[in-house]
């Protein structure tokens, strides 16, 4: 199909001698894998590095203090991609980690990116955020708005702190209040249990928001368990038949890989990956520039792709709009 041809051509251009393998195109049972053909590039993500101030056992990036699986980006690393993205009409820049605030260049990077598009930063909200509030204040005068999404895994403090450390539930809420009080848009990332009472869980968050003097309608972004980097998870494969039977053209366009990319620093080189969830698999490396990555089809081979397929999981708040 055209998708396979485009993928193979792009991959061969990047890595001489490398071809699309049968495993990329077909499952072990011989069925053709499901895929997403990107239709736009409206959101660009930057991975600021896997170093973090916490060491959560469930971290989908395997982040911890001093971690170097993915390198810390600098303004010099990021600037060419911000410029290229702006020329391509990207409408939002988003930043993840690790913990972005561990990166000393973060505020300078944000200042540069905010001159070109709105920015979103994902953070655990612990210590490093409140310590840099004074540095963030001037960014309110930027050409575009700055938003923050803070991880509050559960509406129960004990459950949250069991994974992130004692006292960090309270610290996350403090960061949320402080950022909101300064006029920044804020949202919450939470964990999703497969058998949860979604309405009940969200009601518990709304009650907490009220108790902290925050708007009850803040966006809640729910994530299933994605596992740790490189984990071989036993999940159903996503085939072309699955995509036709259980997804529509409209829902396929809302997969993150349909409208976004992520830039990472890997082995000292800046690389473009298909989305925020697949940086542990080099098959999703789409090149050294955004233009090189445009139109490259994405096979839903990674175990985390199943979470996007089944639960509509997405790191984005834009859904491509």
């Amino acid at each position: 199909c055209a998708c396979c041809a485009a993928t193979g051509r792009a991959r061969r251009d990047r890595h001489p001698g490398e071809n699309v393998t049968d495993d990329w195109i077909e499952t072990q049972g011989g069925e053709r894998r499901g895929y997403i053909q990107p239709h736009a590039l409206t959101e660009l993500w930057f991975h600021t590095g896997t170093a973090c101030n916490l060491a959560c056992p469930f971290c989908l990036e395997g982040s911890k203090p001093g971690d170097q699986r993915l390198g810390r980006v600098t303004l010099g690393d990021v600037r060419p991609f911000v410029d290229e993205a702006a020329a391509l009409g990207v409408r939002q820049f988003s930043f993840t980690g690790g913990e972005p605030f561990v990166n000393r260049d973060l505020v300078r990077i944000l200042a540069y990116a905010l001159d070109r598009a709105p920015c979103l930063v994902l953070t655990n909200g612990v210590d490093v955020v409140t310590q840099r509030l004074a540095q963030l204040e001037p960014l309110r005068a930027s050409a575009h708005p700055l938003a923050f999404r803070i991880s509050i895994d559960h509406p129960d403090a004990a459950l949250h702190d069991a994974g992130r450390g004692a006292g960090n539930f309270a610290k996350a809420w403090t960061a949320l209040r402080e950022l909101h009080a300064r006029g920044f848009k804020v949202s919450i990332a939470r964990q999703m249990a497969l058998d949860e009472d979604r309405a009940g869980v969200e009601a518990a968050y709304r009650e907490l928001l009220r108790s902290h003097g925050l708007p009850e309608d803040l966006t809640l972004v729910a994530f299933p368990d994605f596992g740790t980097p490189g984990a071989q998870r036993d999940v159903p494969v996503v085939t072309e038949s699955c995509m036709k039977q259980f997804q529509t053209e409209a829902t396929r366009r809302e997969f993150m890989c349909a409208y976004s990319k992520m830039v990472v620093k890997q082995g000292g080189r800046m690389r473009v990956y298909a989305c925020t969830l697949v940086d542990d698999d080099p098959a999703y490396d789409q090149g050294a520039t955004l233009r090189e990555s445009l139109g490259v089809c994405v096979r839903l081979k990674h175990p985390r792709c199943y979470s996007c397929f089944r639960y509509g999981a997405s790191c984005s708040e834009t859904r491509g709009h």
Side-chain angles (χ1 to χ4, degrees), residues 207-242:
E207 178 58 36
L208 280 166
L209 287 165
R210 283 194 294 272
S211 71
H212 285 278
L214 292 162
E216 296 177 37
D217 61 351
L218 290 188
T219 298
L220 299 174
V221 182
F223 292 106
D225 178 11
F226 285 120
T228 53
Q232 298 301 309
R233 311 188 78 194
D234 185 17
V235 298
V237 297
V238 181
T239 65
E240 283 191 11
S241 176
C242 292

Side-chain angles (χ1 to χ4, degrees), residues 261-277:
K261 308 286 183 187
M262 184 166 78
V263 179
V264 308
K265 191 172 187 177
Q266 200 170 61
R269 301 184 309 156
M270 299 297 287
R271 306 298 297 174
V272 180
Y273 269 70
C275 91
T276 59
L277 299 173

Side-chain angles (χ1 to χ4, degrees), residues 48 73 95 99-111 121 132 136 139 148:
T48 60
V73 296
F95 299 84
E99 170 51 54
F101 279 96
V102 169
N103 188 313
R104 294 180 180 179
D105 240 9
L106 178 66
V107 174
R108 294 177 64 223
I109 289 170
L110 290 174
V121 180
R132 298 180 75 176
L136 293 173
L139 299 182
F148 297 90

Side-chain angles (χ1 to χ4, degrees), residues 17-33:
E18 179 189 30
N19 294 306
V20 174
T21 63
D22 290 342
D23 183 56
W24 176 257
I25 299 171
E26 295 184 349
T27 70
Q28 290 183 348
E31 296 181 87
R32 296 185 73 81
R33 291 190 185 278

Side-chain angles (χ1 to χ4, degrees), residues 243-244 246-253:
M243 294 298 285
K244 292 175 182 176
F246 299 107
Q247 299 285 335
T248 65
E249 181 179 355
T251 60
R252 288 194 293 271
R253 290 171 68 87

Side-chain angles (χ1 to χ4, degrees), residues 1-301:
C1 66
C3 172
C4 301
T7 305
R9 182 169 57 251
R11 286 165 62 84
R12 284 193 294 272
D13 287 346
R14 291 200 306 276
H15 306 294
E18 179 189 30
N19 294 306
V20 174
T21 63
D22 290 342
D23 183 56
W24 176 257
I25 299 171
E26 295 184 349
T27 70
Q28 290 183 348
E31 296 181 87
R32 296 185 73 81
R33 291 190 185 278
Y35 66 88
I36 294 294
Q37 184 63 52
H39 64 86
L41 181 58
T42 59
E43 183 176 21
L44 181 62
W45 288 76
F46 289 97
H47 201 299
T48 60
T50 46
C52 188
N53 56 330
L54 303 181
C56 307
F58 51 79
C59 180
L60 67 88
E61 291 290 7
S63 299
K64 57 186 180 295
D67 193 87
Q68 297 181 29
R69 184 178 72 84
L70 296 176
R72 299 189 192 190
V73 296
T74 66
L75 176 57
D77 293 327
V78 167
R79 186 186 288 115
F81 292 93
V82 170
D83 292 344
E84 185 182 20
L88 292 170
V90 165
R91 297 200 292 270
Q92 177 161 304
F93 297 113
S94 298
F95 299 84
T96 187
E99 170 51 54
F101 279 96
V102 169
N103 188 313
R104 294 180 180 179
D105 240 9
L106 178 66
V107 174
R108 294 177 64 223
I109 289 170
L110 290 174
Y112 188 81
L114 285 165
D115 279 343
R116 291 150 182 82
C119 292
L120 169 69
V121 180
L122 278 56
T123 172
N124 58 43
V126 174
D127 296 332
V128 287
V129 179
T130 50
Q131 289 167 3
R132 298 180 75 176
L133 286 172
Q135 294 177 323
L136 293 173
E137 283 275 7
L139 299 182
R140 294 173 56 194
S142 300
H144 297 281
L146 173 60
F148 297 90
R149 183 195 301 162
I150 295 182
S151 295
I152 302 179
D153 299 324
H154 307 279
D156 178 86
L159 282 177
H160 178 92
D161 286 355
R164 294 188 182 263
N168 287 334
F169 182 81
K171 289 180 179 179
W173 281 102
T174 296
L176 200 66
R177 290 196 308 271
E178 292 289 345
L179 290 167
H180 180 265
R182 285 164 173 76
F184 296 111
K185 179 184 176 183
V186 291
S187 57
I188 293 174
R190 71 172 185 88
Q191 292 184 9
M192 173 200 304
L194 301 187
D195 58 351
E196 72 177 18
D197 171 10
R198 180 175 177 178
V201 172
E202 293 192 352
Y205 276 98
R206 304 300 177 198
E207 178 58 36
L208 280 166
L209 287 165
R210 283 194 294 272
S211 71
H212 285 278
L214 292 162
E216 296 177 37
D217 61 351
L218 290 188
T219 298
L220 299 174
V221 182
F223 292 106
D225 178 11
F226 285 120
T228 53
Q232 298 301 309
R233 311 188 78 194
D234 185 17
V235 298
V237 297
V238 181
T239 65
E240 283 191 11
S241 176
C242 292
M243 294 298 285
K244 292 175 182 176
Q245 183 176 356
F246 299 107
Q247 299 285 335
T248 65
E249 181 179 355
T251 60
R252 288 194 293 271
R253 290 171 68 87
E254 291 191 346
F255 277 62
M256 277 194 65
C257 53
Y259 61 85
S260 71
K261 308 286 183 187
M262 184 166 78
V263 179
V264 308
K265 191 172 187 177
Q266 200 170 61
R269 301 184 309 156
M270 299 297 287
R271 306 298 297 174
V272 180
Y273 269 70
C275 91
T276 59
L277 299 173
V278 295
D279 59 57
D280 59 342
D281 187 343
Y284 292 91
D285 180 337
Q286 297 186 330
T289 69
L290 295 175
R291 286 180 175 83
E292 185 178 355
S293 73
L294 294 179
V296 177
C297 139
V298 182
R299 290 281 167 179
L300 304 183
K301 177 179 179 291

